[in-house]
Amino acid sequence: MVIDGKSYAGSGHRMRELGFTPPNLASDNTRFIERRHVFYVPGYDPEARQRYHALFARELGRYAARFDLRLHHVSPLVESVDRQAQTWTVDAGLAGRRTATTFEILLWDDMVRRDMGRPVLASLLLLLLSVGHSLATGTLLRLYGLNRRFAGVIPLYPLVLSAVLLAAGAGIGSGLNRLVGQPAGSWIAILVDVAAALGFAHLAMPLLDRFYLRQLTNDWVFKWQHGNGWREDYAARLDAMAARVAARIDAGGADEITLVGHSSGALAVVEVAARVIVLRPGARLSLLTLGAGLPLVALVPRAARVRADIAALVACDRVVWAEYQAPQDWMNFPGFNPARDLGPSPARVANPLIRSARFRDIVDPEVYRRVRRRPFRMHFQFLFANDRPGEFDIVALLLGPRSLRDRVLAPDIVPLREAGGRAPGS
């Protein structure tokens, strides 16, 4: 909600202002950006390889039809030889200046597809085990305390839907037993019930993929595994991503290097940035996290490395970290501040800059009414072009002539192409 022009998350005594400017925020001598390199890490997305170039080109076209974007040209996609990165370039004109931006997607969708390729029974058993472990350690209750609506999406949604699937399948098995006269409770009847439950869940899974059941199940399991230090393959990929960023720093030529992550990718870029500042102690980075779920891993008791990475960035004045949150997004944690909520604050707090995306202000009212109860659509609003002018503007943040720090601290609102014109719906 908004009170006196400020955004808040929660209600009653739990209400927290959704905004924070760190007292030791780094200075920024770069006023205008002519050449920018953006490293983007997707979330837990099995289709990342096919999604983001097309999504960006589409949304940039929608933005150009509405706002004062004088120039925009998107190059074709180029994939790296190792198939771990994709790049394209954009020339854009905003605020009377021209900026050339290279986008580089750092991919890990191959790991996501491997996770989602598990047998249904294995995924369900891992889900039950991870939920039980998270309850036993108190992690799940702490997460629900930060965002109660989160419980409606992860892990409750896949857990309940999986239980319904198995129960329906077992019901089919019971019906078959009665049809053939098999006594209930016999070992043959039990085997038929179990086989029917698993078979029904397996057959229904492709249909339920449209509702993200398998993706959310394995996403939760992945975060649990990563927090407990059981994903050496992912840790190695983060190292490779950091090495790619370090090589780009060594090459020079960019006025600003920005690491961007959405959803699970937000945690990834935080971990990558922490590695980069160790690899290149003199480097300066901009870091933008959108719809982040940092607590999902950072609150796991054994996730000491993750908490140390976050703490290093909180205290680092060579990184400008901006975090956009949204109370309307069920899958982020509005009001969560890693400088405050992960333990004692360090003596020097240089990050993060936290702001509200204010979706209600930047989305066309008709569209907002249509999508506000669709958690996955609202979660992706961070990556969509605005319908109306606003402080949060993903195109201006990534293609505009001002540095990330300056744009967040003093956002210049990009006007509609026609004064007073109504933005079309999406």
Side-chain angles (χ1 to χ4, degrees):
M1 67 179 62
V2 178
I3 301 175
D4 294 333
K6 296 182 180 180
S7 297
Y8 291 83
S11 59
H13 71 284
R14 299 187 63 82
M15 186 177 293
R16 293 175 292 177
E17 184 178 348
L18 204 165
F20 176 71
T21 300
N24 305 118
L25 180 68
S27 60
D28 190 348
N29 296 324
T30 303
R31 301 300 300 172
F32 292 105
I33 307 298
E34 295 182 355
R35 292 169 298 179
R36 177 185 286 111
H37 196 107
V38 172
F39 288 96
Y40 177 80
V41 180
Y44 194 86
D45 185 350
E47 299 178 2
R49 199 170 299 269
Q50 294 79 36
R51 189 184 310 277
Y52 290 96
H53 179 262
L55 184 150
F56 183 85
R58 182 195 72 200
E59 294 304 311
L60 188 58
R62 291 178 62 240
Y63 188 91
R66 294 174 175 150
F67 295 93
D68 190 18
L69 180 64
R70 301 293 180 180
L71 166 74
H72 70 286
H73 175 265
V74 182
S75 75
L77 180 71
V78 177
E79 189 164 273
S80 65
V81 175
D82 62 7
R83 305 197 72 228
Q84 292 187 13
Q86 295 174 331
T87 60
W88 69 87
T89 60
V90 181
D91 284 330
L94 278 169
R97 290 178 177 269
R98 181 172 179 172
T99 305
T101 301
T102 298
F103 281 84
E104 187 165 353
I105 308 297
L106 303 179
L107 295 164
W108 58 293
D109 56 315
D110 54 316
M111 296 182 186
V112 178
R113 288 193 299 274
R114 282 201 300 271
D115 287 355
M116 293 178 62
R118 294 187 187 106
V120 172
L121 177 59
S123 293
L124 295 181
L125 288 176
L126 284 170
L127 177 65
L128 288 172
L129 181 62
S130 60
V131 169
H133 184 258
S134 298
L135 278 170
T137 61
T139 305
L140 202 55
L141 294 179
R142 292 184 67 189
L143 290 172
Y144 291 167
L146 290 172
N147 184 0
R148 286 174 295 180
R149 289 194 300 177
F150 158 82
V153 181
I154 304 175
L156 190 60
Y157 168 75
L159 196 64
V160 170
L161 192 52
S162 297
V164 170
L165 275 178
L166 293 173
I172 293 172
S174 296
L176 290 173
N177 284 321
R178 286 194 298 270
L179 187 65
V180 300
Q182 184 65 42
S186 68
W187 67 270
I188 294 178
I190 293 172
L191 286 177
V192 170
D193 288 347
V194 171
L198 295 176
F200 183 75
H202 178 75
L203 291 174
M205 195 61 70
L207 174 63
L208 292 171
D209 279 346
R210 298 177 56 189
F211 302 97
Y212 307 100
L213 174 60
R214 182 158 36 181
Q215 186 173 348
L216 287 175
T217 296
N218 288 287
D219 185 9
W220 168 265
V221 170
F222 162 78
K223 290 182 173 67
W224 172 68
Q225 293 173 326
H226 178 43
N228 283 285
W230 299 330
R231 290 302 299 253
E232 293 183 5
D233 57 338
Y234 181 66
R237 186 63 57 88
L238 293 176
D239 290 339
M241 290 178 180
R244 196 178 290 269
V245 176
R248 182 63 188 85
I249 292 170
D250 294 343
D255 300 320
E256 182 174 56
I257 292 179
T258 304
L259 277 63
V260 183
H262 172 246
S263 191
S264 299
L267 175 62
V269 294
V270 165
E271 295 180 90
V272 169
R275 286 162 166 79
V276 172
I277 62 175
V278 172
L279 291 173
R280 298 294 182 270
R284 302 186 71 85
L285 294 173
S286 294
L287 174 64
L288 176 63
T289 52
L290 308 167
L294 301 187
L296 289 168
V297 176
L299 292 182
V300 174
R302 294 185 60 187
R305 169 70 188 271
V306 173
R307 289 190 293 273
D309 285 348
I310 294 172
L313 295 183
V314 166
C316 183
D317 59 5
R318 292 183 287 110
V319 175
V320 173
W321 173 9
E323 158 113 338
Y324 280 94
Q325 304 171 347
Q328 300 89 347
D329 176 14
W330 295 16
M331 299 170 71
N332 76 158
F333 291 86
F336 174 77
N337 184 344
R340 177 196 63 210
D341 297 331
L342 288 180
S345 295
R348 181 177 181 82
V349 177
N351 286 299
L353 264 167
I354 299 175
R355 296 291 185 268
S356 172
R358 300 189 181 224
F359 286 163
R360 191 185 296 271
D361 296 338
I362 64 175
V363 177
D364 181 271
E366 181 181 343
V367 175
Y368 185 85
R369 285 191 295 272
R370 196 165 66 238
V371 305
R372 67 189 181 94
R373 297 193 184 279
R374 292 166 53 189
F376 307 105
R377 166 61 176 82
M378 193 60 82
H379 189 48
F380 266 84
Q381 182 61 46
F382 289 101
L383 303 180
F384 289 177
N386 290 10
D387 294 326
R388 304 194 296 184
E391 293 186 10
F392 177 75
D393 184 330
I394 190 63
V395 173
L397 283 165
L398 299 184
L399 299 182
R402 300 177 64 200
S403 67
L404 178 67
R405 175 189 182 278
D406 285 356
R407 181 65 176 71
V408 175
L409 287 176
D412 46 351
I413 309 301
V414 181
L416 290 169
R417 182 173 290 278
E418 296 179 4
R422 182 180 181 274
S426 55

